[in-house]
Amino acid sequence: MIRLLRVPSLLVWLTVLWVALWGDVTAGNVLGGLLVAIVVVAVARPTGVTGLERTYFRPVSALRYGLYFLVQMVKSNLIVAWEIITPGMSLNRAIIAVPMHTSSAGVVALVANSITLTPGTVTIEVIEQPTDDGLIDRTLFIHVLHFLGVDAVHRDVLRLERLAIKAFGSPDELPRLDAELAAMLTGKDVSS
């Protein structure tokens, strides 16, 4: 039953976004938005984009993600502002590779974009490599202005990924991520 509602709900959502972007609820805007939504869904389906088929949404966890992201953004803004108003160059830059634990391209995109929106960090690239079991391993390459160590960057990104998985990902992906985070906090080496 839910499978039958996926495409119609995607069409409704895209239509609502269209009308919101125009800022005027008229019959023409609604009809135009519906036509655009139908074209987008028709074009996206053959390319393998699955729309809402593998999407989870947990509102409380999504709120936690949003609040955590806002706090991190405020902290980063304050650090970057301090760098700007203080003389001297105390930047310690680095590019770090951080493997993701989720198979969801949407969750990886959310984490990558959240990193880029946070001052002082930019996601440079996402590398995708197919695995033997048919999944895709994704690794983020992140440019960091205030590099304090590889473990610190990994820990921050994995915390963000954990919150994103709890809000929008599959709960089956959490145990492996939690094990790696626990090992980082205790200082043990985890090999997979």
Side-chain angles (χ1 to χ4, degrees):
M1 179 66 178
I2 291 176
R3 205 175 185 128
L4 295 173
L5 295 176
R6 288 184 180 143
V7 171
S9 63
L10 183 59
L11 291 173
V12 168
W13 175 245
L14 290 172
T15 303
V16 167
L17 285 177
W18 178 268
V19 171
L21 287 172
W22 281 98
D24 190 19
V25 182
T26 64
N29 270 347
V30 172
L31 183 60
L34 183 59
L35 290 174
V36 168
I38 289 169
V39 169
V40 166
V41 170
V43 168
R45 285 284 172 196
T47 63
V49 175
T50 56
L52 298 177
E53 289 179 2
R54 293 189 181 128
T55 303
Y56 297 88
F57 179 69
R58 295 171 199 89
V60 173
S61 294
L63 182 62
R64 282 188 191 125
Y65 181 88
L67 290 173
Y68 179 82
F69 172 70
L70 285 174
V71 167
Q72 295 306 312
M73 196 154 68
V74 168
K75 283 172 43 178
S76 295
N77 271 301
L78 291 173
I79 291 169
V80 170
W82 181 253
E83 282 295 328
I84 291 170
I85 62 173
T86 58
M89 193 70 147
S90 63
L91 296 179
N92 189 15
R93 296 173 293 271
I95 296 176
I96 306 296
V98 181
M100 296 283 94
H101 295 79
T102 181
S103 61
S104 168
V107 171
V108 171
L110 176 65
V111 171
N113 286 325
S114 296
I115 289 167
T116 298
L117 288 171
T118 306
T121 56
V122 174
T123 302
I124 299 171
E125 188 172 8
V126 179
I127 300 291
E128 296 182 343
Q129 295 179 328
T131 62
D132 295 335
D133 56 1
L135 297 175
I136 296 177
D137 279 341
R138 293 176 176 90
T139 302
L140 298 182
F141 286 84
I142 302 166
H143 181 268
V144 182
L145 280 181
H146 298 95
F147 178 67
L148 301 174
V150 173
D151 287 343
V153 174
H154 277 231
R155 188 174 45 252
D156 290 346
V157 173
L158 294 180
R159 283 181 181 154
L160 191 63
E161 181 186 14
R162 184 177 192 284
L163 290 169
I165 290 172
K166 286 185 84 166
F168 306 105
S170 171
D172 300 336
E173 298 172 332
L174 286 174
R176 192 175 69 143
L177 177 60
D178 287 341
E180 186 169 336
L181 271 171
M184 288 180 129
L185 295 174
T186 60
K188 295 179 183 174
D189 184 26
V190 177
S191 304
S192 49

